[in-house]
């Protein structure tokens, strides 16, 4: 009788106290993105894991962006369309509405690599008892969704704050953050606030879990790509703030030499 009682007690304890499946807040920021948004919507709707809310934060588009989102059939769906003060202001609006345990930013044109990506992330979260960050690899695609190649920087198997001394080693879209760890984006940075935001998340995360798979297809277009030089200057400022001026300067000299070698090898 005592053994049976103990088994029943253990079963009740496990049922009551085992970690719950995480809820994801997937946030997509848009502005006149009717030509790139369909691939993003399709990848969200095809996910086998349905434990998510989808937030589309639109900057008052004048094309069919909002209509496409509203007619996507994705549920639950929240669409907000109003003027904003730029990309990161819109992302902050998404964070303000997010109710999930984890947040994922999936820009218009970017997509989950396969229908099981969200389930892979959920499994990793459950297996590792709700880590601060879950992350993986990213590949670059063109507007026809054809693979161009891997990112210039690959996500490391072990991710620490120091990893970001080398730049954006994890693509923002493949960087899944525990909601209670995150603050708003710093809108003083117009092009690289996501880099600074990831650093702050890493400062607060005690455990980061790597998924050795491609999680995201990243469209090789966008605001940061179109403003590459300004983005690099902002990133240098951010690195200097967190890691010091001279270490950042020396590291950039190394980046320059590395880039020259890469060009010569091609």
């Amino acid at each position: 009788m005592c053994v049976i009682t103990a088994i029943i007690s253990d079963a009740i304890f496990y049922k009551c106290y085992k970690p719950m499946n995480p809820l994801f807040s997937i946030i997509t920021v848009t502005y006149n993105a009717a030509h790139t948004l369909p691939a993003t919507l399709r990848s969200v709707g095809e996910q086998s894991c349905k434990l998510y809310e989808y937030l589309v934060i639109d900057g008052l588009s004048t094309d069919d962006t909002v209509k496409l989102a509203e007619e996507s059939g994705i549920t639950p769906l929240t669409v907000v369309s109003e003027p904003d003060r730029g990309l990161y202001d819109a992302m902050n609006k998404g964070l303000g509405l997010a109710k999930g345990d984890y947040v994922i930013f999936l820009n218009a044109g970017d997509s989950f690599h396969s229908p099981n990506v969200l389930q892979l992330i959920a499994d990793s979260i459950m297996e590792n008892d709700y880590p601060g960050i879950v992350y993986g690899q990213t590949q670059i695609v063109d507007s026809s969704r054809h693979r161009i190649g891997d990112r210039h920087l690959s996500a490391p198997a072990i991710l620490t704050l120091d990893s970001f001394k080398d730049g954006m080693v994890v693509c923002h879209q493949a960087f899944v953050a525990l909601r209670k760890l995150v603050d708003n984006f710093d809108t003083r940075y117009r092009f690289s606030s996501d880099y600074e935001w990831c650093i702050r998340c890493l400062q607060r995360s005690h455990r980061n879990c790597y998924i050795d798979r491609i999680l995201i297809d990243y469209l090789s277009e966008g605001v940061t790509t179109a403003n590459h030089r300004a983005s690099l200057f902002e990133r240098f400022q951010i690195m200097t703030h967190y890691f010091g001026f001279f270490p950042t300067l020396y590291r950039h000299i190394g980046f320059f030499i590395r880039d020259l070698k890469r060009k010569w090898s091609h």
Side-chain angles (χ1 to χ4, degrees):
M1 180 66 70
C2 293
V3 173
I4 294 174
T5 302
I7 292 173
I8 294 173
S9 297
D10 287 345
I12 294 172
F13 180 87
Y14 177 75
K15 182 177 181 180
C16 292
Y17 294 100
K18 69 176 181 178
M20 298 295 291
N21 290 316
L23 175 68
F24 298 98
S25 293
I26 305 171
I27 302 170
T28 297
V29 171
T30 61
Y31 180 69
N32 287 344
H35 63 297
T36 58
L37 185 60
T40 307
L41 296 173
R42 186 165 55 251
S43 81
V44 173
E46 290 176 347
Q47 289 303 299
S48 59
C49 174
K50 300 300 182 182
L51 295 172
Y52 64 79
E53 59 172 359
Y54 191 41
L55 309 172
V56 177
I57 311 300
D58 181 71
L60 204 62
S61 291
T62 57
D63 64 3
D64 288 335
T65 297
V66 172
K67 180 181 178 182
L68 287 170
E70 291 177 338
E71 295 180 353
S72 66
I74 297 171
T75 57
L77 169 70
T78 299
V79 179
V80 175
S81 185
E82 61 187 20
D84 56 51
R85 296 188 297 275
L87 174 64
Y88 297 112
D89 177 53
M91 287 183 171
N92 287 340
K93 290 181 182 180
L95 284 176
L97 295 172
K99 298 180 176 64
D101 301 296
Y102 286 82
V103 293
I104 303 173
F105 285 95
L106 199 63
N107 292 343
D110 302 330
S111 61
F112 292 117
H113 179 64
S114 63
N116 70 334
V117 164
L118 210 57
Q119 188 61 58
L120 286 173
I121 299 171
D123 290 344
S124 179
I125 289 169
M126 295 291 291
E127 290 168 4
N128 294 282
D129 192 22
Y130 275 63
I133 306 295
V134 180
Y135 67 102
Q137 300 293 347
T138 303
Q139 73 171 359
I140 310 299
V141 299
D142 62 21
S143 58
S144 299
R145 317 311 295 177
H146 296 144
R147 174 183 166 84
I148 295 175
D150 297 323
R151 286 184 77 232
H152 170 51
L153 295 174
S154 297
I158 298 176
L159 182 67
T160 68
L161 180 61
D162 283 346
S163 302
F164 269 60
K165 289 180 179 179
D166 290 325
M168 195 79 168
V169 293
V170 181
C171 182
H172 186 210
Q173 287 81 343
F175 187 96
V176 182
L178 188 64
R179 176 68 183 90
K180 67 181 182 181
L181 293 183
V182 309
D183 286 331
N184 281 351
F185 292 86
D186 188 338
T187 55
R188 291 177 299 174
Y189 302 111
R190 294 182 58 202
F191 307 112
S192 294
S193 188
D194 52 348
Y195 173 68
E196 194 272 341
W197 182 85
C198 287
I199 289 175
R200 280 189 280 128
C201 289
L202 283 167
Q203 285 180 323
R204 296 171 180 175
S205 175
H206 298 296
R207 285 182 300 112
N208 308 313
C209 293
Y210 173 56
I211 299 175
D212 189 17
R213 300 280 290 275
I214 295 174
L215 302 183
I216 299 295
D217 291 346
Y218 178 86
L219 182 64
S220 62
E221 299 172 354
V223 173
T224 301
T225 304
N227 298 277
H228 185 62
R229 183 170 296 180
S231 174
L232 290 177
F233 179 72
E234 282 189 354
R235 196 163 298 181
F236 185 89
Q237 291 179 305
I238 295 166
M239 286 182 173
T240 297
H241 174 75
Y242 284 99
F243 305 120
F245 174 76
F246 287 110
T248 298
L249 179 62
Y250 296 150
R251 196 169 291 269
H252 274 73
I253 293 172
F255 294 164
F256 178 72
I257 294 172
R258 181 190 62 194
D259 290 343
L260 283 179
K261 289 181 179 178
R262 184 180 298 108
K263 289 178 181 178
W264 291 337
S265 66
H266 286 75

